[in-house]
Structure formats: structure tokens, C-alpha cells
């Protein structure tokens, strides 16, 4: 079995962060492991508090995994601070980590800042370690320092982010009103477009986390970047289609669609 590590924050309501990552990894048939960078107090209505984990404990979590287990791919999510970002970068270089998918998490759906402003420059440097970086449009605008309003500008932003050192860039188009096509800029300069499907639901908590961790899982299983993105998009689309309401806000996507159906779960 392939082993995939998620390095991200914990979501107390289970829809995003490491909880979403581990669900997606399990659904796609890999063994998921986790390094927690921060503990968030959140529910379907928003994020209400964040407690960072010390860089020493973050590094120790990474160390004990890589000293013991062969890691086939890594997904990186919430980093919170420049200190944490730099500490993880040091460990990646120490262990020559491969197949790194970076989801540059900056702001939650409820507009809570998950990355401090002072950490943006550190994140830009950290991106150089990435095999694939998966920003949504607001994140790509910050990383590329430009406004994005159409597909041509998504491609331009991807090229700017690639110049930061990352090999492949996936700019997700879900924030656009007229079109939700995702743009993949590959290491060889090719541009691949993945048309999206708008699904009428508010229950989209953890979509970015789920997509990036599913892509990391598919890369670990031997798929090319392009194929991993294609299959990952198919998985997240089905998960959104089978999302469900819990609480009073934005509910989670259906990570275990087939298992839920077998267990007799009703989507209501």
C-alpha cells in the first residue's frame, strides 16, 4: 500500500484540514499519515480560533515518520506562520522529500486568516519545493501579485507562480462566476484545461483540502500529474455532488460516497 503524509491544520468539525485529507486518502486506497501544524476551533459556520503547534514538535512529527516509513507523497496545507513554513522546508530538504503537493491555504471560507501576512514571502520561497501547487484564484492573485478575471490571466498567474520554483501549477477556477474551469500548467510548459461542473449546493467545506490530498494520493499510486489532477477532479466533483448538511452552515463533501450509500445514509 502506498503511504501519503498530510501536513496541515486540524479541523474540529471534520470537514477540512487533516480530517478531510485522511478521509480522501482512505477513499482512494492509500495509507494516510498526518503532521499537525495547528489546531483550529471551527464548525460549519466558521473558524473561531487557532493554536499553532511549536516548530519543534512539527519537525519531530516529520522526523519520526521519515526515519521509520517510506513516504510516497506529501500534501501540505495550512502552515500559519513563516517560522512553521521554514521549519517544514528544512525537513523536506533534510529528507529529500518527493511528490510534494502544496495547497497554499490562506483564508477560510468564513474569511478567517489561516496564514499570517508575514508568512506570505516565506510561502513563496517554500513553493519552490513543490511538485504541484494548487491555489484557488484569490490565492493565485496573492502569489502572482495580479488580478485574475479570465482564463488567460489564470495562465499568466500560473506562469508567475511557476517562476517561484514549483514544477506544476493548478489554478482552480471555482471562484469565477462565469466559468469554473481549472487550469494546469505543466513543467514542460503545456497548458491543460479541466472544465468544471457547477453543482447547486452550499455544502463545500473542505473542497480544496480534499482535492489536493486526493491528487497527492493518485500521484503516490503512480499516476502522472495530469492524470492525477483529472482523476482528483472526478473524485471531488462526485464528493461535492454527494455533499450533505450538518450543523447550521457549510456542510462537508461526501468523501466516502460508496461507503455512505452502502451504510444506508440518506443525503438530507
Amino acid at each position: 500500500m502506498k503511504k501519503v503524509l498530510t501536513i496541515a491544520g486540524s479541523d474540529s468539525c471534520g470537514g477540512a484540514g487533516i480530517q478531510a485529507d485522511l478521509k480522501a486518502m482512505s477513499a482512494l486506497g492509500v495509507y494516510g499519515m498526518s503532521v499537525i501544524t495547528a489546531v483550529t476551533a471551527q464548525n460549519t459556520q466558521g473558524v473561531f480560533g487557532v493554536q499553532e503547534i511549536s516548530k519543534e514538535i512539527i519537525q519531530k512529527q516529520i522526523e519520526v515518520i521519515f526515519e521509520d516509513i517510506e513516504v510516497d507523497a506529501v500534501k501540505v496545507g495550512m502552515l500559519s506562520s513563516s517560522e512553521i513554513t521554514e521549519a517544514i522546508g528544512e525537513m523536506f530538504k533534510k529528507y529529500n522529500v518527493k511528490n510534494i503537493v502544496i495547497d497554499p491555504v490562506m483564508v477560510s471560507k468564513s474569511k478567517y486568516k489561516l496564514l499570517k501576512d508575514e508568512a506570505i514571502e516565506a510561502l513563496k520561497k517554500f513553493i519552490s519545493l513543490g511538485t504541484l501547487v494548487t491555489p484557488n484564484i484569490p490565492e493565485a492573485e496573492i502569489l502572482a501579485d495580479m488580478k485574475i478575471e479570465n482564463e488567460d490571466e489564470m495562465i499568466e498567474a500560473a506562469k508567475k507562480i511557476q517562476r517561484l520554483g514549483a514544477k506544476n501549477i493548478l489554478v482552480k477556477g471555482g471562484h469565477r462566476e462565469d466559468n469554473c474551469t481549472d487550469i494546469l500548467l505543466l513543467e514542460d510548459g503545456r497548458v491543460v484545461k479541466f472544465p468544471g461542473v457547477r453543482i447547486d449546493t452550499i455544502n463545500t467545506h473542505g473542497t480544496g483540502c480534499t482535492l489536493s490530498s486526493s491528487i497527492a494520493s493518485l500521484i503516490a499510486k503512480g499516476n502522472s500529474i495530469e492524470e492525477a489532477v483529472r482523476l482528483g477532479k472526478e473524485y471531488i466533483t462526485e464528493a461535492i455532488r454527494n455533499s450533505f448538511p450538518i450543523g447550521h452552515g457549510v456542510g462537508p463533501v461526501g468523501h466516502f460516497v460508496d461507503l455512505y450509500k452502502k451504510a444506508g445514509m440518506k443525503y438530507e
Side-chain angles (χ1 to χ4, degrees):
M1 178 177 282
K2 298 300 182 181
K3 285 83 65 183
V4 182
L5 174 66
T6 169
I7 302 177
S10 170
D11 171 8
S12 50
C13 75
I18 59 165
Q19 286 83 353
D21 296 337
L22 292 172
K23 290 173 185 177
M25 291 170 184
S26 298
L28 289 168
V30 301
Y31 182 78
M33 304 170 289
S34 65
V35 168
I36 301 175
T37 60
V39 174
T40 70
Q42 65 177 294
N43 56 27
T44 64
Q45 299 182 80
V47 179
F48 298 91
V50 172
Q51 176 67 63
E52 293 178 1
I53 304 299
S54 72
K55 73 171 188 178
E56 291 80 12
I57 291 297
I58 291 171
Q59 288 185 317
K60 181 59 71 172
Q61 290 178 83
I62 295 171
E63 176 187 298
V64 297
I65 289 174
F66 279 91
E67 291 289 342
D68 181 49
I69 301 167
E70 181 180 357
V71 180
D72 298 293
V74 178
K75 172 263 168 83
V76 182
M78 179 182 176
L79 295 173
S80 186
S81 71
S82 57
E83 186 178 44
I84 289 173
T85 304
E86 291 163 0
I88 294 170
E90 290 173 8
M91 300 302 285
F92 280 5
K93 292 173 184 176
K94 176 180 178 179
Y95 290 104
N96 193 27
V97 179
K98 62 183 180 180
N99 296 332
I100 302 170
V101 177
I102 300 173
D103 183 17
V105 177
M106 296 182 183
V107 181
S108 72
K109 276 188 172 67
S110 60
K111 309 304 180 186
Y112 192 103
K113 281 191 176 182
L114 300 175
L115 182 74
K116 296 175 181 177
D117 291 339
E118 54 85 14
I120 291 174
E121 290 306 312
L123 177 61
K124 288 182 178 180
K125 293 178 181 178
F126 181 77
I127 278 173
S128 65
L129 302 174
T131 305
L132 174 69
V133 182
T134 64
N136 57 32
I137 284 179
E139 292 160 349
E141 288 179 332
I142 292 171
L143 294 173
D145 192 24
M146 62 176 284
K147 189 69 177 173
I148 300 173
E149 295 182 344
N150 54 52
E151 287 185 8
D152 287 341
E153 290 173 348
M154 290 172 72
I155 295 171
E156 182 183 351
K159 290 178 178 178
K160 287 187 174 183
I161 297 169
Q162 193 176 60
R163 286 197 284 272
L164 295 174
K167 295 180 177 67
N168 306 278
I169 314 298
L170 177 67
V171 180
K172 299 173 291 189
H175 282 76
R176 289 178 59 195
E177 294 183 2
D178 59 331
N179 187 303
C180 56
T181 295
D182 293 350
I183 301 291
L184 174 64
L185 174 63
L186 291 161
E187 188 175 8
D188 61 9
R190 288 189 299 123
V191 173
V192 183
K193 297 182 180 182
F194 296 90
V197 178
R198 288 285 184 196
I199 298 170
D200 185 20
T201 179
I202 66 165
N203 300 313
T204 56
H205 186 50
T207 51
C209 305
T210 300
L211 177 60
S212 55
S213 55
S214 66
I215 292 172
S217 300
L218 291 158
I219 291 172
K221 294 173 76 172
N223 292 279
S224 68
I225 298 295
E226 181 177 347
E227 185 69 358
V229 171
R230 184 184 68 80
L231 293 172
K233 276 190 62 66
E234 289 179 2
Y235 171 70
I236 188 59
T237 299
E238 191 65 18
I240 295 172
R241 186 174 284 118
N242 289 275
S243 62
F244 50 92
I246 62 170
H248 298 90
V250 178
V253 300
H255 294 95
F256 297 116
V257 176
D258 294 335
L259 288 177
Y260 290 156
K261 289 179 178 178
K262 287 179 181 178
M265 174 178 169
K266 296 180 180 180
Y267 288 88
E268 59 184 26

